[in-house]
Amino acid sequence: MGFWLIAAGLAALIALALLAALLRGRMASAPTATYDLQVYRDQLREVEKDLARGVISENEAERVRIEVSRRILEADKDAQDAPKSERAPRWLSLTVAGAIAAVMLVGSLALYPYLGAPGYPDMPLAQRKALADIARETRESQAEAEARLPVSPPMDVDPRYAKLVEELRRVVAERPTDPQGMAMLAQSEAGLGNYRAAYAAQAKLIGLKADNATAEDFAALGELMILAVDGYVSPEAEAALNQTLERDRTNGTALFYAGVLYARTGRPDLAFNIWRSLLEQSQPSDPWVPVIENGIGELAMLAGVDYTPPAAALPGPSAADMQAAGDMSDDDRQAMIRGMVERLSDRLATDGGTADEWARLIGALGVLGETDRARGIWAEAQTVFAQHPADLATVLAAAQKAGVAE
């Protein structure tokens, strides 16, 4: 009931605002010449002020008075000749305002059952979490998902490779207890895009290994099951991921798909925590990093978290660079080091970075003898990491070593 009272009150306020605008508009606008007259009178007053301040001479003031007076006479004539506009009838303004209010109110009531959610109750956070848990527990199985989706057409491959895979299938069928052959079959089927056959072979491989099955074996099983149904994480795939994490809590494949599962079942908070931890511990070359970097911003927004992904780590010198540095003169070597320091400094200034990178920059500046600059970087770092004591401690250690912090 409260909602309808608020909605009716808002509609009434809008109708009153429209009515006031219509009633104000009943008076015809004054002719343009009327406004010109006011401008010219203001100009005459300004002339007198300029004359009193000595800005213009008496002759100049007289010429301006004559010109402005001429314009006043013309504007006054135009104002007298302008046709008088009649006011709109009061009853018409009231009728239009009432019609608009009625259309707004009746239209809103008519559209709300289709566009709104009548009778929809408030949903506290605990209830949303409970519904998300139910959605995850009652989602369709692997078999149901596969039945819903068509089988992917086979990939175009070299006929010779296809023939080798066919021969491998025959050999594995003859020796079904050979783990090596079963592992090769799972990889080969995946290479052909036959993910359903691939995960079936991977499941048999795990059965053959029994207690010796590794976290990577279960991670491969879970991923193949997910790929077989276009990225959907079924309860069976989740079970494989859980087996992976029981053996290795840091397995990137399992953590990535665990985040996907929670994101798609209404728990962006859990998904964000998993992906954030994984992203900050991953190498740039890890296959899940681009996907997480592309999606973690939206995930953070849904989770209600203000988050900036860490900047990519600055690549260090290659083996060739190190060898070349050994052959350089002292001046050239110093120039190369300064170039690396400047690139790091520029990137931290524009994109930010981790506490380790800030510490590295302060340490490098200290080695180069640029203590004033290092001290300035340390002062800036205290602001950047003020809310992160652990990170601030990392930078402080570097600043103390460089002699720019107590």
Side-chain angles (χ1 to χ4, degrees):
M1 187 61 183
F3 168 79
W4 296 110
L5 291 175
I6 294 173
L10 290 174
L13 288 175
I14 295 173
L16 288 174
L18 291 173
L19 177 60
L22 287 170
L23 292 177
R24 283 196 302 270
R26 294 178 64 240
M27 292 298 296
S29 299
T32 305
T34 303
Y35 298 106
D36 292 343
L37 283 170
Q38 183 61 44
V39 172
Y40 297 147
R41 292 189 180 102
D42 291 340
Q43 288 179 346
L44 284 177
R45 283 193 290 271
E46 291 298 322
V47 168
E48 299 303 327
K49 291 180 181 178
D50 290 343
L51 179 61
R53 292 198 302 268
V55 176
I56 59 177
S57 65
E58 179 62 38
N59 290 335
E60 291 174 329
E62 185 62 24
R63 285 197 300 270
V64 173
R65 290 191 194 101
I66 294 172
E67 176 62 24
V68 173
S69 298
R70 182 184 63 79
R71 294 181 182 181
I72 289 176
L73 291 174
E74 292 178 356
D76 184 61
K77 182 177 182 300
D78 292 339
Q80 296 296 327
D81 295 340
K84 302 297 183 180
S85 300
E86 295 183 357
R87 297 192 300 180
R90 185 179 181 84
W91 66 266
L92 181 58
S93 298
L94 294 174
T95 302
V96 171
I100 292 175
V103 169
M104 289 177 52
L105 185 58
V106 175
S108 300
L109 293 174
L111 290 175
Y112 185 72
Y114 300 98
L115 302 179
Y120 196 76
D122 292 338
M123 187 175 291
L125 179 60
Q127 186 177 354
R128 292 200 298 270
K129 290 181 177 180
L131 290 176
D133 292 340
I134 293 173
R136 185 166 64 88
E137 293 169 1
T138 58
R139 69 191 190 280
E140 62 184 4
S141 66
Q142 183 77 20
E144 291 171 336
E146 291 180 8
R148 174 175 52 83
L149 297 171
V151 178
S152 301
M155 298 173 61
D156 292 332
V157 295
D158 189 325
R160 291 174 296 180
Y161 178 73
K163 185 176 180 181
L164 289 174
V165 176
E166 186 62 37
E167 179 64 19
L168 178 60
R169 291 170 183 156
R170 185 188 63 78
V171 172
V172 171
E174 294 175 353
R175 296 189 297 179
T177 59
D178 179 12
Q180 185 176 0
M182 196 66 70
M184 292 179 60
L185 180 60
Q187 295 173 3
S188 300
E189 296 286 13
L192 291 174
N194 298 328
Y195 296 118
R196 298 183 186 184
Y199 85 70
Q202 185 69 18
K204 291 179 181 178
L205 173 63
I206 291 174
L208 292 174
K209 286 188 174 183
D211 294 340
N212 294 324
T214 66
E216 290 299 331
D217 292 330
F218 282 99
L221 174 61
E223 184 170 36
L224 289 171
M225 297 178 78
I226 293 167
L227 293 174
V229 285
D230 292 343
Y232 169 69
V233 185
S234 67
E236 293 83 356
E238 182 187 7
L241 299 178
N242 289 338
Q243 289 289 334
T244 302
L245 295 175
E246 286 181 7
R247 291 163 173 78
D248 179 10
R249 298 297 301 176
T250 63
N251 185 276
T253 300
L255 290 172
F256 169 73
Y257 284 116
V260 172
L261 171 61
Y262 284 118
R264 294 182 178 177
T265 53
R267 290 302 304 270
D269 54 330
L270 297 180
F272 170 75
N273 289 334
I274 293 172
W275 272 15
R276 175 179 183 172
S277 177
L278 177 59
L279 179 61
E280 294 177 354
Q281 297 173 10
S282 297
Q283 298 298 319
S285 58
D286 289 331
W288 49 79
V289 167
V291 181
I292 293 179
E293 288 179 336
N294 186 56
I296 197 168
E298 181 178 359
L299 202 58
M301 179 187 67
L302 294 174
V305 179
D306 183 10
Y307 176 70
T308 301
L314 183 67
S318 64
D321 294 333
M322 297 300 293
Q323 183 177 0
D327 299 332
M328 289 179 178
S329 65
D330 290 342
D331 291 342
D332 290 342
R333 188 181 302 109
Q334 191 81 346
M336 186 190 77
I337 294 173
R338 286 185 179 278
M340 296 176 64
V341 169
E342 291 303 324
R343 288 194 296 274
L344 177 58
S345 177
D346 291 343
R347 188 172 62 79
L348 293 183
T350 56
D351 301 330
T354 65
D356 289 335
E357 291 170 330
W358 283 77
R360 189 194 317 169
L361 176 59
I362 291 174
L365 291 173
V367 171
L368 292 173
E370 299 186 15
T371 53
D372 290 341
R373 189 176 170 191
R375 188 174 291 106
I377 299 296
W378 161 238
E380 184 179 357
Q382 293 179 69
T383 301
V384 173
F385 298 105
Q387 304 300 320
H388 304 279
D391 291 337
L392 186 60
T394 299
V395 184
L396 174 60
Q400 290 174 333
K401 187 174 181 180
V404 296
E406 298 297 333

